[in-house]
Amino acid sequence: MDSLRSHIDHASMESDAPDNELAYSKSREWVHLRKKCKDLDMETCYKRYIQRLTVINLSLFLFIVELLFAMHILFQFVYSKCTVWVSMPYIVLMVLLPLILLICFKNKAQYKHFTLWNNLASCTAALLVTFIDLTLALHGCYVIYIISLNVLMEAFRIFMEYHLRQMLLRRHQLLHQNFLLKAAMQKEKDMMQTILPADIVDTLLQEIHKRIEDQRIGTHFLTPLILFIELHSDVSILVADMVNYTHLTTRMDVKEIVKFLHDIFVGFEQAAEKNEVLRIKFLGNSYTCVSGIQEYSRTHANSCLSLALDMINVMETLREIYGLNIDVRIAVHSGEVFTAIIGRIKWQYDIWSRDVDIAYRLELLGMPGKVHVSQTTLDFLHNEYFYDEGTFLAKEDPILQKANILTYLIGPQPRKFTIKTATFSYTSISEYSVTSLSHINSGKDFDTIDVIRKKTHEGMLEKVECMPVDGIQLARIFDFSYRIERGNEDYMFKPYISSFWRLFRHSEVEWNYINEPNLLLKYSLLIILFVGLLFLLQNLILPKTTFVSKLLLLLVSLMLICFFAFYKKIAIQFSKSPNTYEPKCFLNRCLVMLSELLEENLTMRICTYIICIIIIYAMATLNTVLLKLEQMRRSGAKSLPDDDLDRETFEPWEATQNVIMVFIAMFFVVVPLFFKAAIIVMMCILHILTVHTFYNSLRRVQTTNMGMISELASIWYILAFTLLVLIKEQHVTYLKTVSYHYKSLYGKKHILTEKSKLNAKIIMANILPSHVANLFLNRDASDELFCESYDKIAVLFATIVNFESEKTGLRVLNEYICLFDDLLAYYIHNFKVEKIKVTGWTYMAACGLKVDPEMDSALTMPLSTDRAKSYKKNKQKNLTEYSATFRAHQSRFTHPLLKHDDKCVLTLAHFAADLLRIMQDISILNNSMSYAGSMPGQLKIGISHGPAAAGVVGLSRPHYDIWGYTVNMASHLALVGVAGRIQVTEHTAITLERFDIKCEYHGITHAKIVGKIPMFLVDLDEDLNFQYMDELYLDSIDIVDADSQDTNKDNVNILYIDPSRSSDDDVKNKK
């Protein structure tokens, strides 16, 4: 099962927007998109979309032609007083065109030779429309004009292919991103369910996201943390604890520990799922469950007891398999519980109440291999199980006696629960893989890249049937396809795109759209240059033209602009690595920058387009104006000439058709529709005024429109093309805006996906240490577990004591834990302090674990300038109130036996001192402001360092823990230590003394398995600062000045002292 992160990263490479690739592609842009479509197997989608778009274009064609013919006939009757017979060809054509093109609207599957009939119908319609002009006497350049129009429209087809393929790729990209987002959100939800029960995830989702956002931007000092507490008044609590767990963790190999604990975890999880009991937490040796939280059930006690008996059977099976002397004590009690999420990081969903404390008490006083239940639970069981009286310790326990609780023991019933074990496959010295056959998958399997690609392809085949194709409403009366609208997406864009000018309704989106780089600008300028060449060729054909030099000068200007636009493309063609092309020559670099500026800068593009349009329009009408001026100059007349002057020097229809060529060139100019319409209308008006100003005898020029006078024919001809260009341009602009809208949606979905991915990463980092979390986010489909061994880490246990838990409650605990969590932000560099877990009122942390900068960076995102200032100000204010700062202890010397990794002990000692400072500040605050909601309590801290084993058990709901002698010692010191002090082992005390930190001998304590061990207290002054070593200690060792450098320090071996072997004489001598 590939991780979500792999999904998204790989998908970003495969389904990334083609725009970035196109900018540095050697091939032509539309050719590159063709290859991209073939690579993604989208040719079928493209052909199908072209078929749908063809139907719209045919209906639009019929609408425009019928409209123009109708207006033409109307003008003939109104202005030219023509008879019906004169207009009959147009009337017949209006009737025939829809009938001829009817076949083009039919379903392709219904006709065997559909393509043949479709092509014949299209060609026939085109010839009939063209036949109107071919029947008349035409001027000499008309052939050039017709050929040029077809060449330009073929270029327009290529441009449209580029835009349509780009639209399809963006739609594919959006659909692909939707699947990735769905997978990311599912991953995030499943991650949350590792912390919270599935039924309350949605309830607390908003608060969890708020906490994630606080972690991401570092605002946990700025906002108060909401504590969600829920009361469940009728539930049953199960508490289980492994017997001989300490022996297991100190004697077994790390591989075997993880293997054994994983099998226990899997067996317990299977049993909990089978009995519909919610697992609250699994802390290595302790397992806590509740029945009745997810969904109320009258049989919640039966469910817990059935689970307890199954757990006993699981333990018996594993004891036989592994040959270990290990058992389990289980207690079940019924009552009420409070549930809440505790902490600011490494959130923990836990339960608290007096009944929970009773359940833990029952477990402590229970008997291995049996279930210790209370009278309340027994009443819920309705005598369905055989039972005996409770243990003697329970009867004599003062707490249970005060609560008036009677207890009973229920042994295994005639039932058996089987499990599957795990096997190892070795991978490295310190990291191992555990292949489990009993994988519990509480969430859904995540789609692999191939599955997502397949879903995207199948989805595109469906989406292409409803992708927007636009079409003017009036033009739809000519749509004879009888297609069934299957959720056409056109209506979805009405709230975003205006109906007439095709502008985005949101000004910011429109601004971003028009500022999008235009990679086809160079080709647009090439089309304009081609039109200019046609005008030059036209003037060369005319024998009486004497203005070729002026046209050539304008054409050279166009060539120069076109060269600048093409320069980057030309440079890339000669580059060996186009994607990393960086010109070295100054001139070359300047020309490339100019070429990029023309593509990317809106102002430069518009100015370039305007200059080119002015030049090309001047070339189109230059012959008209200059020939007439020359005629007037030769005739010596000051007014317009009479009819006897030579009219053959000037044909106004040539100029009109030249302007139409300019209109067609405007198809390739990428500017907003209203701006393009203004230019076209302006040129149309200017041309009409130019012709009628410099030539007033159009009526005597042969018309190309039957039945209309020359003045009206010229005006109608230019106006008809203006209308055609604007209608078509409106449709093209709509398709381009839709394409950009897809790109915009993709950007938003991509941000949501990345945010969801980051949320999953942060959630995982709140479950596991950073270096382990990243491994689990990227684990493969094989069900592998993780374990590791450390030669040296420092472990801390801090237990809150001297308070009344029933009065203080969860609010106080949450405040304490959040303050401790906030302190971790100052211990993230070099030797990071990692929060491991919270057990009841005990806080566990470790230093010296591996650090993953990538995962840690997800939790320390940079702030914006304003927020950073606010954060810094509030943080300083917070630190004034709580003096939990890293007050580095400056050693006066460098001990020759110290190594770099010994700093984990020093770092954790500083962290412990800061914890005490937090408690001291709270105590001072409570003394100065005594109120009912005050936070009493003190800390007992135990620190030990040395080798340890760590690992993760479980796959769907992983749990990370640390085992070994070092952990057991730190836990024991926090249990038996002095409130308000830092207890350390002798081994740790020696290391701290090497850092010039004084430790005092406190006495002998008795620990499980190890027996008697000496205990030391870190010497602190009233401000909780470390005390320096005595001068006698300095004289007893060879030291190096702290400011000097000892190059041979790494070659000195550290002498490790096993606390279990220390004698009283050694301790006395040390003192």
Side-chain angles (χ1 to χ4, degrees), residues 361-373:
R361 195 71 182 173
L362 290 177
E363 178 274 314
L364 183 65
L365 302 173
M367 182 181 295
K370 291 191 176 183
V371 187
H372 201 190
V373 301

Side-chain angles (χ1 to χ4, degrees), residues 108 150 170 247 301 330 405 445 459 616 659 907 996 1033 1038:
K108 182 178 179 180
N150 281 275
R170 287 174 173 176
H247 172 80
I330 304 177
I405 292 177
D445 290 335
I616 200 69
V659 173
T907 303
D996 201 11
Y1033 176 82
D1038 295 329

Side-chain angles (χ1 to χ4, degrees), residues 160-192:
M160 284 306 301
E161 179 187 357
Y162 168 85
H163 291 299
L164 294 179
R165 288 187 182 275
Q166 187 179 58
M167 179 198 292
L168 280 171
L169 287 171
R170 287 174 173 176
R171 187 66 182 90
H172 178 275
Q173 188 181 46
L174 175 60
L175 185 62
H176 191 89
Q177 195 65 38
N178 284 336
F179 285 117
L180 291 176
L181 177 59
K182 183 179 179 180
M185 294 178 66
Q186 182 63 45
K187 180 75 172 179
E188 179 186 355
K189 185 175 181 180
D190 287 351
M191 287 294 175
M192 287 185 177

Side-chain angles (χ1 to χ4, degrees), residues 135-148:
T135 55
L136 304 176
L138 304 173
H139 54 82
C141 294
Y142 188 74
V143 176
I144 297 178
Y145 168 68
I146 291 296
I147 295 175
S148 301

